């Protein structure tokens, strides 16, 4: 049984291109099924915050706070990765990040991109609240279910 990587990549591109949730291809000795994962989350209400424009990379890194600085008594909810891939905080290296610590977010806001099999998948917020902590760094490899953000 020989697996054609180009075929798998083409199937994955068709899932994204046509908005499919699943695609299957079968021949005499091989069956390939690819499925799109869905994001699940809950909602929290907060007040809007004015954010600074054009952040510098050093400012972004300083905002990825350590776990010790987040108060354990606070009710924080996690936004998790819907898939395995590489975490990207911005749409391109020259662009501003999608969200920063302290920023208010709404359900449906784009928080980051997870690259999987050369596909860029936007991770949308399933919570409404304020970003309390960013748990991963730009370019970091992540697994499905890894906590990405903590939201108040």
């Amino acid at each position: 049984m020989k697996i054609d990587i180009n075929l798998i990549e083409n199937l994955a591109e068709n899932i994204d291109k046509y908005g499919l949730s699943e695609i299957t291809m079968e021949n005499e000795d091989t069956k390939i099924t690819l499925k799109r994962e869905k994001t699940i989350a809950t909602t929290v209400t907060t007040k809007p915050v004015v954010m600074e424009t054009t952040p510098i990379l050093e400012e972004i890194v300083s905002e990825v706070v350590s776990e010790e600085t987040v108060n354990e008594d606070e009710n924080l909810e996690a936004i998790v990765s819907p898939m395995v891939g590489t975490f990207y905080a911005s749409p391109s290296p020259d662009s501003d990040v999608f969200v920063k610590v302290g920023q208010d977010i709404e359900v449906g806001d784009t928080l980051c991109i997870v690259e999987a099999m050369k596909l860029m998948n936007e991770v949308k917020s399933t919570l409404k609240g304020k970003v309390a902590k960013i748990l991963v760094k730009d370019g970091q490899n992540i697994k499905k279910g890894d906590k990405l953000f903590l939201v108040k």
Side-chain angles (χ1 to χ4, degrees):
M1 170 173 73
K2 181 180 177 188
I3 297 176
D4 184 3
I5 298 299
N6 290 329
L7 173 65
I8 293 172
E9 288 176 350
N10 287 334
L11 291 174
E13 288 172 7
N14 283 328
I15 285 177
D16 191 46
K17 182 177 179 181
Y18 297 108
L20 303 173
S21 60
E22 181 178 326
I23 190 167
T24 302
M25 194 203 129
E26 187 173 352
N27 65 18
E28 297 167 0
D29 61 344
T30 307
K31 180 177 180 181
I32 298 173
T33 300
L34 300 176
K35 296 181 182 180
R36 178 185 297 256
E37 297 284 335
K38 294 188 180 184
T39 306
I40 301 172
T42 57
T43 305
V44 178
T45 58
T46 60
K47 297 177 185 177
V49 171
V50 178
M51 65 181 251
E52 203 175 287
T53 58
T54 62
I56 300 171
L57 183 58
E58 287 127 12
E59 293 173 1
I60 296 167
V61 171
S62 69
E63 290 178 6
V64 179
V65 294
S66 66
E67 286 189 38
E68 296 81 35
T69 63
V70 175
N71 186 350
E72 294 295 328
D73 297 333
E74 295 182 52
N75 290 330
L76 300 176
E77 295 186 64
I79 296 177
V80 299
S81 176
M83 65 188 69
V84 173
T86 305
F87 173 89
Y88 293 108
S90 62
S92 71
D94 299 331
S95 301
D96 292 340
V97 295
F98 289 109
V99 293
K100 299 183 341 183
V101 172
Q103 180 178 336
D104 286 325
I105 57 172
E106 298 288 327
V107 173
D109 287 353
T110 300
L111 303 176
C112 65
I113 291 175
V114 176
E115 178 188 1
M117 292 180 59
K118 297 185 182 181
L119 293 175
M120 300 299 180
N121 302 283
E122 290 184 350
V123 175
K124 305 278 186 181
S125 175
T126 54
L127 302 172
K128 180 179 179 184
K130 183 178 289 196
V131 177
K133 185 173 179 183
I134 300 172
L135 301 171
V136 293
K137 293 187 168 110
D138 199 45
Q140 182 176 333
N141 290 327
I142 56 176
K143 297 179 282 191
K144 179 180 178 182
D146 281 356
K147 293 179 182 178
L148 303 176
F149 302 92
L150 291 179
V151 179
K152 291 182 192 179

